[in-house]
Amino acid sequence: MKPRQSGISRLIKSAHYSWRGLCSGWRSEQAFRLEVVLAIICFPATFWLASSFLGWLMLLGSALLVIITELMNSAIEATVDRIGSEFHELSGRAKDLGSAAVLVSAIFAAVVWGGCLLVRLGILPVAG
């Protein structure tokens, strides 16, 4: 077993591993790159779309949720691919479930963004 680190050195190591994961996702996952670029492009619109701070957090959080889910799906796919390249029902199921999670998070983001747009346009009333 390797010795455990604690305190600030552990935090620095964890941040380093996280940064490596983000860089790996950017280099190897086209969907991740697309979702990050879309989030960056759409970010300025959050200030116009949101009718409250909570609405702004929902817009930002839903976009980040898609990115987070994509990273988790990529981790699942990499793990399954590492185990073996031959077809196995459980491997296919794991990949399909990861993909479904990304789809559900994207639908959630679309509902949040669409709802905020409809409120901004006056089609839906502001909740309160």
Side-chain angles (χ1 to χ4, degrees):
M1 281 176 59
K2 71 180 192 180
R4 292 185 165 223
Q5 295 178 332
S6 62
I8 193 74
S9 62
R10 180 175 182 215
L11 184 63
I12 290 170
K13 273 283 203 216
S14 294
H16 173 73
Y17 295 140
S18 297
W19 180 252
R20 278 185 17 195
L22 288 170
C23 291
S24 175
W26 182 263
R27 279 191 312 272
S28 62
E29 299 296 329
Q30 182 179 8
F32 176 72
R33 288 191 300 271
L34 175 64
E35 290 156 357
V36 169
V37 168
L38 270 172
I40 291 169
I41 290 170
C42 292
F43 179 73
T46 63
F47 298 106
W48 178 77
L49 278 175
S51 57
S52 67
F53 180 68
L54 187 57
W56 182 80
L57 286 176
M58 288 291 292
L59 290 166
L60 186 61
S62 65
L64 289 175
L65 180 63
V66 173
I67 292 169
I68 292 165
T69 312
E70 184 63 51
L71 287 169
M72 296 302 295
N73 182 47
S74 297
I76 291 167
E77 289 181 351
T79 302
V80 168
D81 290 347
R82 165 68 174 89
I83 291 170
S85 60
E86 71 280 349
F87 176 79
H88 191 281
E89 180 185 344
L90 293 176
S91 297
R93 188 183 315 165
K95 287 185 168 191
D96 291 347
L97 289 168
S99 180
V102 174
L103 176 64
V104 170
S105 70
I107 291 170
F108 174 71
V111 169
V112 169
W113 283 72
C116 287
L117 178 62
L118 294 175
V119 167
R120 174 53 73 183
L121 296 175
I123 297 170
L124 286 177
V126 177

